[in-house]
Amino acid sequence: MCALADLEPLWGEAARVGGRQVALWRLDASTVLAADHRDPRTGACVLARGILGSRGGAVTVASPLHKEVYDLADGRCLSGPGPVLPVHPVRVADGRVLVGLPPGKGAAAH
């Protein structure tokens, strides 16, 4: 996907992985989280510009459009009934960020 050093801590970045737009957030020296960049409620590609936060120990992102809050571990909407945000597994190896996508949604980026 990219070098870990390319990601600024606590800031979202968007990237294209296998034809899909993905948002990445670097939390600390070795933790990166990934989800679809597309807001599941509106369809707009804006989530990399969402606001990182936490709720009950969960790392969250709030959509910049309607402020729905999503758990970045499982994609649940924590603001009430709402669509799930697809989240993706991330691995950091040798200073590189690797994002996995489900089959049929684009190939894993290495």
Side-chain angles (χ1 to χ4, degrees):
M1 178 87 242
C2 65
L4 179 63
D6 291 339
L7 300 176
E8 185 176 334
L10 304 177
W11 184 258
E13 293 293 345
R16 185 171 295 277
V17 180
R20 186 176 190 146
Q21 289 193 38
V22 174
L24 301 167
W25 297 273
R26 180 179 174 179
L27 301 184
D28 55 34
S30 62
T31 307
V32 178
L33 299 177
D36 276 9
H37 185 41
R38 185 176 306 276
D39 183 314
R41 185 172 303 278
T42 66
C45 291
V46 296
L47 284 180
R49 295 298 167 246
I51 300 167
L52 279 179
S54 63
R55 188 176 284 184
V59 177
T60 63
V61 65
S63 171
L65 295 178
H66 296 287
K67 307 304 185 247
E68 285 91 7
V69 176
Y70 298 95
D71 184 330
L72 287 174
D74 61 16
R76 288 178 300 130
C77 181
L78 301 177
S79 302
V84 172
L85 172 67
V87 296
H88 309 294
V90 178
R91 185 168 56 96
V92 177
D94 298 324
R96 302 287 304 165
V97 177
L98 309 171
V99 177
L101 294 180
K105 303 286 185 172
H110 298 285

